[in-house]
Amino acid sequence: MDQRLATETILIVEDEPKTASLVALYLEREGFKTVHAADGQRALGLARQYTPCFVILDLMLPQLDGWEVCRELRRFSDVPILILSAREDEFDRVMGLSLGADDYVVKPFSPRELVARVKAIRRRVRLQLTRAPTVYTHGELVLEPEKRKVTRGGKAINLTPSEYVLLQVLMAVPGRVFSRQELLDHLYPGGDSVVDRVVDVHIGKLRQKIEPDPAYPSYIVTVRGIGYQFADSEG
């Protein structure tokens, strides 16, 4: 058991009691605390009450479905979200990621793999917080790793963990072209299998938040057939 996890709470949003109990059992074995919500409204209330370090979210929920829970969570929190759902279509995966989820696992699932994914995403977040402080600036856009803060024109921008990773990777080496696979390796250092469009989905959402005109991006530039780069000049 990792003692550093003992005070970290994970919110499990799942209306099937056996599944929720199984997930909680494996997480608690690793030292996490867990809280459980069986419907979407309760999930949002517990998220505000406990400020969890992670959310595992089913999509088919009573009262308020997982899509709406994910959307509402992103209005006030950048907590990592892993969607756990029986819906396996690529459309559903892409939709979940476009709403701000960081990972998507299809039922039936391996509890051990689920815990491994949770820990990998948490490890990625901790690494972001412990890296040597450097401020990246491009025009009005500023990224401060020490504070894990992004602003444009002095106004704070709320990014998901995945969006933050991509922006930091790109801003750290302006002008360098990153392939989609390289960016995927930063998002999923454990080599997890993900759908091909994950990077494009996250970049699209990131542009909506940071670009003055997302239709004509000036910060994150598409390099056709390869991937993306951060603009190397402010002209």
Side-chain angles (χ1 to χ4, degrees):
M1 179 185 298
D2 188 340
Q3 295 301 319
R4 293 174 303 175
L5 305 181
T7 60
E8 297 187 339
T9 299
I10 292 181
L11 171 60
I12 301 168
V13 188
E14 169 64 61
D15 66 335
E16 210 293 308
K18 290 184 179 180
T19 301
S21 296
L22 180 65
V23 172
L25 174 65
Y26 275 80
L27 288 170
E28 288 168 8
R29 283 178 178 175
E30 295 299 319
F32 291 102
K33 293 182 179 179
T34 64
V35 291
H36 172 232
D39 65 75
Q41 292 287 6
R42 175 68 172 160
L44 292 175
L46 290 178
R48 290 185 169 92
Q49 179 181 349
Y50 285 93
T51 315
C53 71
F54 205 97
V55 175
I56 295 175
L57 176 64
D58 189 16
L59 292 177
M60 306 304 291
L61 298 168
Q63 296 191 30
L64 198 67
D65 66 28
W67 304 119
E68 191 60 29
V69 172
C70 189
R71 186 179 292 110
E72 288 300 314
L73 280 173
R74 282 292 169 252
R75 295 185 191 278
F76 64 86
S77 174
D78 63 356
V79 62
I81 300 172
L82 182 149
I83 290 177
L84 179 63
S85 175
R87 302 174 67 119
E88 59 182 350
D89 291 347
E90 181 178 338
F91 173 82
D92 294 312
R93 293 173 182 253
V94 172
M95 174 66 76
L97 295 168
S98 71
L99 290 176
D102 298 279
D103 204 351
Y104 193 112
V105 174
V106 176
K107 300 175 182 177
F109 63 99
S110 161
R112 290 184 178 87
E113 179 187 353
L114 180 70
V115 172
R117 286 176 179 251
V118 169
K119 293 174 76 172
I121 294 171
R122 289 290 300 142
R123 186 163 55 248
R124 189 179 75 203
V125 171
R126 287 199 300 270
L127 285 173
Q128 294 166 13
L129 296 174
T130 58
R131 284 173 179 159
T134 303
V135 176
Y136 303 111
T137 303
H138 187 98
E140 293 189 330
L141 187 67
V142 180
L143 185 149
E144 303 175 71
E146 188 176 29
K147 300 179 181 178
R148 201 175 179 277
K149 181 180 180 181
V150 177
T151 59
R152 194 185 77 199
K155 183 178 180 180
I157 299 174
N158 186 31
L159 301 182
T160 70
S162 294
E163 291 164 357
Y164 183 88
V165 168
L166 289 175
L167 182 59
Q168 182 170 0
V169 168
L170 291 167
M171 286 191 79
V173 194
R176 179 188 163 180
V177 178
F178 287 86
S179 69
R180 286 174 174 80
Q181 186 57 54
E182 286 179 299
L183 295 174
L184 275 175
D185 290 343
H186 283 281
L187 286 175
Y188 304 97
D192 299 321
S193 176
V194 293
V195 294
D196 294 337
R197 295 176 58 195
V198 167
V199 169
D200 297 331
V201 169
H202 286 312
I203 291 291
K205 299 294 288 187
L206 182 55
R207 281 173 167 164
Q208 291 292 327
K209 295 178 179 181
I210 69 169
E211 296 282 359
D213 184 354
Y216 300 95
S218 57
Y219 294 133
I220 299 177
V221 181
T222 300
V223 181
R224 191 176 299 275
I226 303 177
Y228 299 94
Q229 69 179 156
F230 198 86
D232 58 358
S233 70
E234 299 180 20

